[in-house]
């Protein structure tokens, strides 16, 4: 009996979290009014606050989840009391990224893929590029680079050491590989690092599914063309040597052994890793199916029939809240100066230029500017101007805003362009000229790929051939 009472006391927070909502659920069921539903949320928060079954700050975020799901207020109106709805999406994404990094799930994914592709030069480079691109979709570019570079450095050092001196290799063989002792550099990133790859919303025309549908083919295209360019630039097209036709040499076996040993150090997947992976997968599925565009999504059918109650930010906060509920182990503002509008109107002569040329020129401009400033600062500066310009010349705003937003991430030429570039440069194996030569062509590949996408599948996805009613400035009445 004493053991049972002790177990109940140890797990009391979980009982409070899961049982309390059912105890007060009759209130909104018996009295089906918005006031009763709001009362349910307030009482639940009060009980959670009093018992401290969840962190107080997490409890304070419950209105972001409960008010939209219960039809009390739209997500945008709730979130504005905290931050913008888009910023709540960033916070949710940041919490997911922190959980993935804290439990080393990203390292397990990276090593798993690299063990599959092997250590032959061309395949190894392809493997590193694919893993880096995939991880960078979900966690910040800086965190991804900080995690991947020590792995690549260790593999390259092992290959070089094997070729240079077999005796030296044996001496080092008994020591732990220090290159894999990753520093804690990615969890406490400023929030703009996690927002680098996240899009802004525009009347929910751009949501997770539509952004992914446009950007993912671009990513695959740029990844393939970049791989061909780097393969040609550094390895040539000796397919027999690059792809490893024939038996593996000693260096390949040693490099593979390094990655295999590092994977073994991770041990079996813990309950926390599995929980993070499940939450992560469910989050992505919910984002995709919330409003996929080609069919009604679950949010449209269940919650959004009378307005935009549930958004991507609602989903992100809801799923990230689970990190504070599920145990880690089982125990038995806008600028209003008018400057953007004035700059946009001053660009009205661009109307005589074909739209594809406008997009191309602006992408080159943004791509050049982002080499000297952060991605976030570049988009914050340019997007209001581009929106005003597009409205002035009668062009669909997304036709220029989408490609320019993605182009703001094409900063490959200079070490100071982005934190990932600086991290790679700090290893001492690259010169500025090396980065400039490779990066210039990568910028060209990226800009051309983005513009190919916006003029093909992007135009069909977002109906870019017509000027949308939501962007029509004439719908806004001005004070005389």
């Amino acid at each position: 009996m004493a053991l049972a009472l002790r177990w109940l006391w140890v797990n009391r927070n979980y009982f409070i979290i899961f049982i309390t909502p059912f105890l007060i659920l009759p209130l909104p069921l018996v009295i089906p009014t918005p006031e009763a539903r709001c009362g349910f949320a307030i009482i639940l928060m009060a009980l959670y606050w009093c018992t401290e079954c969840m962190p107080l700050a997490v409890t304070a975020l419950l209105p972001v989840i409960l008010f939209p799901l219960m039809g009390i207020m739209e997500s945008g109106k709730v979130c504005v009391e905290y931050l913008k709805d888009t910023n709540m999406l960033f916070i949710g994404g940041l919490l997911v990224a922190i959980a993935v990094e804290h439990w080393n799930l990203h390292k397990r994914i990276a090593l798993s893929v690299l063990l599959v592709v092997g250590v032959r030069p061309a395949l190894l480079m392809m493997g590193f590029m694919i893993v880096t691109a995939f991880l960078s979709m979900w966690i910040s570019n800086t965190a991804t680079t900080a995690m991947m570079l020590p792995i690549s450095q260790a593999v390259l050092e092992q290959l070089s050491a094997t070729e240079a001196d077999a005796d030296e290799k044996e001496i080092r063989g008994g020591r732990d590989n220090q290159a894999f002792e990753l520093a804690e550099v990615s969890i406490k990133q400023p929030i703009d690092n996690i927002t680098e790859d996240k899009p802004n919303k525009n009347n929910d025309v751009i949501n997770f599914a539509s952004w992914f549908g446009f950007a993912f083919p671009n990513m695959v295209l740029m990844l393939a063309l970049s791989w061909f360019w780097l393969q040609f630039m550094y390895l040539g097209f000796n397919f027999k040597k690059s792809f490893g036709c024939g038996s593996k040499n000693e260096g390949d076996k040693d490099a593979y052994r390094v990655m295999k040993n590092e994977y073994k150090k991770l041990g079996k997947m813990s309950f926390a890793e599995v929980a993070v992976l499940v939450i992560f997968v469910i989050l992505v599925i919910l984002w995709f199916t919330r409003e996929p565009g080609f069919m009604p999504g679950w949010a449209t059918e269940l919650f959004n029939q009378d307005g935009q109650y549930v958004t991507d930010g609602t989903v992100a906060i809801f799923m990230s809240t689970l990190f504070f509920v599920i145990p880690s182990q089982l125990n038995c503002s806008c600028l209003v100066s008018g400057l953007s509008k004035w700059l946009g109107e001053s660009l009205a002569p661009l109307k005589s230029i074909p739209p594809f040329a406008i997009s191309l020129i602006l992408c080159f401009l943004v791509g050049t500017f982002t080499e000297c400033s952060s991605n976030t600062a570049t988009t914050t500066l340019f997007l209001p101007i581009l929106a005003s310009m597009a409205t002035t010349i009668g062009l669909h705003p997304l036709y220029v805003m989408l490609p320019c937003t993605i182009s703001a991430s094409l900063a490959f030429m200079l070490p100071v362009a982005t934190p990932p570039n600086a991290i790679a440069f700090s290893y001492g194996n690259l010169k500025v000229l090396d980065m400039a030569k490779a990066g210039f062509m990568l910028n060209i590949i990226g800009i051309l790929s983005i513009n190919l996408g916006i003029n093909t599948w992007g135009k069909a996805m977002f109906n870019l051939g017509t000027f949308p009613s939501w962007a029509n400035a004439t719908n806004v009445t001005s004070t005389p």
Side-chain angles (χ1 to χ4, degrees), residues 32-141:
T33 63
E35 292 84 356
R37 294 194 293 269
C38 184
F40 170 86
I42 293 173
I43 294 172
L44 183 64
M45 290 179 63
L47 292 174
Y48 281 0
W49 266 328
C50 292
T51 57
E52 295 189 30
C53 58
M54 290 170 58
L56 300 182
V58 178
T59 304
L61 290 175
L62 286 181
V64 177
I65 304 168
L66 296 177
F67 283 13
L69 291 178
M70 301 180 74
I72 301 171
M73 290 176 66
E74 294 184 1
S75 177
K77 295 179 180 178
V78 180
C79 291
V80 77
E81 302 297 330
Y82 300 81
L83 298 166
K84 285 186 177 180
D85 181 52
T86 309
N87 291 339
M88 299 306 290
L89 172 63
F90 298 159
I91 291 175
L94 177 63
L95 291 173
V96 173
I98 290 173
V100 169
E101 295 172 43
H102 180 72
W103 294 104
N104 269 337
L105 183 60
H106 59 329
K107 186 175 180 181
R108 186 180 295 275
I109 293 172
L111 289 171
S112 299
V113 174
L114 293 175
L115 287 173
V116 171
V117 300
V119 295
R120 289 295 186 175
L123 296 177
L124 186 63
M125 182 169 69
M126 183 185 297
F128 272 110
M129 292 177 70
I130 291 173
V131 171
T132 305
F134 174 77
L135 292 176
S136 151
M137 291 165 59
W138 315 106
I139 64 178
S140 73
N141 298 346

Side-chain angles (χ1 to χ4, degrees), residues 248-315:
K248 293 183 179 179
N249 58 40
E250 193 64 25
D252 294 340
K253 294 178 181 178
D254 287 336
Y256 186 84
R257 196 177 299 118
V258 169
M259 294 189 292
K260 188 78 172 178
N261 290 337
E262 293 305 321
Y263 185 81
K264 287 181 179 179
K265 287 181 184 178
L266 295 175
K268 294 183 178 180
M269 287 190 73
S270 64
F271 174 79
E273 276 188 88
V274 175
V276 170
L277 180 61
V278 171
I279 292 174
F280 173 72
V281 172
I282 294 175
L283 173 63
V284 174
I285 293 174
L286 290 176
W287 269 341
F288 270 118
T289 57
R290 184 186 71 85
E291 196 172 308
F294 57 88
M295 60 177 288
W298 60 266
T300 305
E301 292 293 323
L302 298 177
F303 304 105
N304 292 353
Q305 294 180 353
D306 299 323
Q308 284 293 326
Y309 284 94
V310 175
T311 63
D312 288 334
T314 310
V315 178

Side-chain angles (χ1 to χ4, degrees), residues 159-429:
L159 287 171
S160 301
T162 303
E163 293 175 359
D165 192 348
D167 293 336
E168 191 175 334
K169 174 198 68 176
E170 292 177 2
I171 295 174
R172 286 198 307 272
R175 297 208 307 255
D176 289 335
N177 191 346
Q178 300 299 323
F180 279 94
E181 303 299 326
L182 301 182
E184 296 291 333
V185 297
S186 55
I187 292 180
K188 298 179 181 178
Q189 298 282 338
I191 197 167
D192 62 334
N193 283 339
I194 192 64
T195 65
E196 290 173 339
D197 306 315
K198 307 292 185 190
N200 288 325
K201 293 190 177 183
N202 196 330
N203 287 6
D204 217 40
V205 175
I206 302 294
N207 54 38
F208 182 87
S210 61
W211 178 270
F212 187 93
F214 174 75
F216 184 77
N218 261 306
M219 184 195 77
V220 174
L221 180 62
M222 283 189 277
L223 198 64
L225 294 177
S226 300
W227 178 83
F228 275 113
W229 167 245
L230 295 175
Q231 168 76 16
F232 170 76
M233 185 174 178
Y234 292 110
L235 300 175
F237 283 106
N238 186 341
F239 290 99
K240 183 176 181 180
K241 181 179 179 181
S242 297
F243 287 92
C245 300
S247 60
K248 293 183 179 179
N249 58 40
E250 193 64 25
D252 294 340
K253 294 178 181 178
D254 287 336
Y256 186 84
R257 196 177 299 118
V258 169
M259 294 189 292
K260 188 78 172 178
N261 290 337
E262 293 305 321
Y263 185 81
K264 287 181 179 179
K265 287 181 184 178
L266 295 175
K268 294 183 178 180
M269 287 190 73
S270 64
F271 174 79
E273 276 188 88
V274 175
V276 170
L277 180 61
V278 171
I279 292 174
F280 173 72
V281 172
I282 294 175
L283 173 63
V284 174
I285 293 174
L286 290 176
W287 269 341
F288 270 118
T289 57
R290 184 186 71 85
E291 196 172 308
F294 57 88
M295 60 177 288
W298 60 266
T300 305
E301 292 293 323
L302 298 177
F303 304 105
N304 292 353
Q305 294 180 353
D306 299 323
Q308 284 293 326
Y309 284 94
V310 175
T311 63
D312 288 334
T314 310
V315 178
I317 294 297
F318 172 67
M319 296 305 297
S320 59
T321 301
L322 297 180
F323 291 127
F324 301 92
V325 176
I326 300 175
S328 60
Q329 56 184 0
L330 292 179
N331 300 318
C332 292
S333 82
C334 301
L335 298 171
V336 293
S337 65
L339 176 62
S340 297
K341 182 179 179 182
W342 177 81
L343 289 173
E345 290 175 350
S346 67
L347 295 174
L350 290 175
K351 190 171 185 179
S352 59
I353 302 177
F356 76 88
I358 295 176
S359 174
L360 201 60
I361 293 170
L362 292 174
C363 284
F364 273 108
L365 177 62
V366 171
T368 302
F369 194 88
T370 196
E371 293 287 349
C372 304
S373 66
S374 72
N375 304 354
T376 309
T378 303
T379 52
T380 301
L381 173 65
F382 276 93
L383 288 187
I385 299 173
L386 296 178
S388 180
M389 179 211 71
T391 303
T392 302
I393 64 177
L395 187 64
H396 198 301
L398 295 182
Y399 186 81
V400 290
M401 295 175 71
L402 258 178
C404 287
T405 299
I406 302 178
S407 295
S409 297
L410 303 180
F412 304 123
M413 291 179 61
L414 300 177
V416 298
T418 61
N421 289 15
I423 293 173
F425 186 77
S426 68
Y427 273 75
N429 297 327

